């Protein structure tokens, strides 16, 4: 799908069902580029519940959505109040066209507006290069378990000046 018509806008509550589904589709459609089938299954055993998306988005974080021509969420990112970037997910149909990159540009602008000094994230193997292009550097590789399955990601941070 073409990302040319994709626009970045603030999250709305009616995005929740689409985000719940696209989280799962992103992990299963793209995760296998860097992680095993077992790891991907442990990362996202099932789609999120829309209520979980609604609750997360209402906990003080700022969420931005990339919406397609029919205004449906195809990617999203969220920024917690302390500068932690939590989720960054893009539907496979829209991957590799700079959509996540545009979401990160929006997060950086938002963080500067909030007066944050630092952004930090635990980035997947897939997300690491995207964050690196936006000035984040790796501070540590994190090896841990999800649902009993060993997996890894990278602690990354960017100072904001
Ligand atoms: C990580 C993720 C969000 C990136 O989404 P994306 O929209 O494909 O990211 P981008 O398009 O901005 O960048 C991805 C690649 O597309 C390329 N790209 C960027 N802009 C582009 C454009 N305009 N046209 C074509 N390709 C482009 C980039 O060079 C990049 O390649 P690289 O990774 O080899 O450097 C997505 O892969 C995903 O959802 N993965 C599964 C879940 C996940 O890992 N989430 C992160 C948890 S921290």
């Amino acid at each position: 799908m073409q990302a040319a018509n994709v626009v970045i806008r603030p999250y709305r509550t009616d995005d929740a069902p689409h985000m719940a589904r696209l989280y799962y589709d992103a992990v299963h459609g793209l995760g296998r580029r860097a992680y095993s089938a077992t790891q991907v299954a442990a990362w996202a055993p099932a789609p999120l519940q829309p209520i979980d998306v609604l609750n997360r988005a209402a906990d003080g974080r700022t969420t931005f959505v990339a919406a397609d021509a029919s205004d449906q969420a195809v990617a999203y990112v969220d920024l917690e109040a302390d500068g932690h970037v939590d989720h960054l997910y893009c539907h496979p149909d829209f991957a590799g066209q700079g959509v996540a990159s545009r979401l990160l540009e929006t997060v950086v602008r938002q963080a500067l507006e909030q007066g944050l000094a630092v952004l930090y994230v635990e980035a997947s193997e897939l997300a690491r290069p995207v964050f690196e292009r936006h000035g984040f550097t790796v501070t540590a590789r994190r090896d841990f378990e999800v649902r009993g399955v060993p997996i890894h990601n990278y602690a990354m941070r960017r100072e904001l000046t």
Side-chain angles (χ1 to χ4, degrees), residues 27-112:
V27 173
H28 286 265
L30 300 167
R32 285 285 282 121
R33 295 180 184 180
Y35 296 96
S36 71
T38 308
Q39 288 173 319
V40 164
W43 183 355
L48 298 175
Q49 293 299 315
I51 187 65
D52 296 329
V53 177
L54 288 165
N55 288 340
R56 283 165 44 83
D59 73 359
R61 73 187 62 209
T62 306
T63 303
F64 294 100
V65 159
D68 67 8
S70 57
D71 201 28
Q72 183 170 312
V74 297
Y76 70 94
V77 67
D78 52 23
L79 171 65
E80 294 182 276
D82 69 347
H84 183 235
V85 180
D86 193 3
H87 278 199
L88 175 64
Y89 288 87
C90 180
H91 192 280
D93 289 350
F94 289 84
Q97 301 180 67
V99 173
S101 194
R102 288 171 61 193
L103 284 168
L104 277 190
E105 283 168 14
T106 306
V107 156
V108 170
R109 271 200 305 275
Q110 175 70 24
L112 289 169

